[in-house]
Amino acid sequence: MLTALGSHPWAYPMLEVVHLFGIALLLGNLVLLELRVFGLGPTLPVDALARLSQTLAGLGFVLAAVSGLTMFGTMPGELLANRVFTAKMALILLAGCNAGLFHARDSLRKLDATARGLMVVSTVIWLLVLTCGRWIGYT
Ligand code: HEM
């Protein structure tokens, strides 16, 4: 059934729209919080901004993951044999570990150099995920 979805005239493109919306929410909110932590918008309270941006980033990830897994279901064999797809999944796992470390050490309360470093690493990883995602279409 999911393989038929892959050739549907509008269902697959709509899944890509949902995927891109999820990515925009995820990256947009993470970058917003990162800029605040790096000193932009000093009047914005970090706690309140972090709650909002992390909730929206989490929602974005759920949208990207659900649409991504559905798209994966339309061509699992092809994607599992694709090294760029494997790299993308490994990078998502790495981003999860980085986020786990960020929260485990209570980085949002400390807001120290390590917290800032982990945020930069997070953005770089998500940009690499984005690059792999787009690249899959050309492999
Ligand atoms: C569990 C999570 C995810 C899965 C299973 C997944 C899977 C997929 C699949 C199967 C495609 C279609 C490939 C194609 O048709 O060429 C795709 C496209 C894409 N993915 Fe993901 N993805 C996930 C999360 C993400 C995240 C978090 C990002 C970015 C931060 C991302 C970025 C992209 C991009 C940029 C595209 C290309 C969209 C387009 O060209 O229209 N993906 N993804």
Side-chain angles (χ1 to χ4, degrees):
M1 185 212 156
L2 278 181
T3 35
L5 196 70
S7 50
H8 193 277
W10 54 261
Y12 195 88
M14 283 317 290
L15 277 173
E16 286 190 317
V17 170
V18 174
H19 205 59
L20 292 174
F21 181 55
I23 295 162
L25 270 182
L26 172 70
L27 260 160
N29 280 289
L30 290 182
V31 169
L32 180 74
L33 182 59
E34 186 174 341
L35 291 176
R36 172 62 192 88
V37 167
F38 272 86
L40 261 78
T43 54
L44 296 171
V46 175
D47 277 1
L49 184 69
R51 269 196 304 277
L52 181 62
S53 75
Q54 286 179 333
T55 304
L56 291 173
L59 177 69
F61 179 75
V62 170
L63 286 179
V66 171
S67 54
L69 288 171
T70 312
M71 290 193 285
F72 170 79
T74 66
M75 46 184 166
E78 205 179 300
L79 284 168
L80 285 174
N82 186 321
R83 280 198 210 153
V84 183
F85 181 77
T86 312
K88 180 176 158 177
M89 291 302 113
L91 284 163
I92 290 176
L93 198 67
L94 193 64
C97 295
N98 187 62
L101 177 62
F102 182 83
H103 290 291
R105 62 181 296 282
D106 210 4
S107 296
L108 274 174
R109 201 181 47 78
K110 292 185 176 141
L111 293 183
D112 55 0
T114 308
R116 288 194 292 276
L118 290 172
M119 286 185 115
V120 173
V121 169
S122 158
T123 303
V124 171
I125 298 173
W126 286 120
L127 286 174
L128 289 172
V129 173
L130 187 91
T131 307
C132 287
R134 197 62 200 90
W135 195 358
I136 293 168
Y138 297 95
T139 49

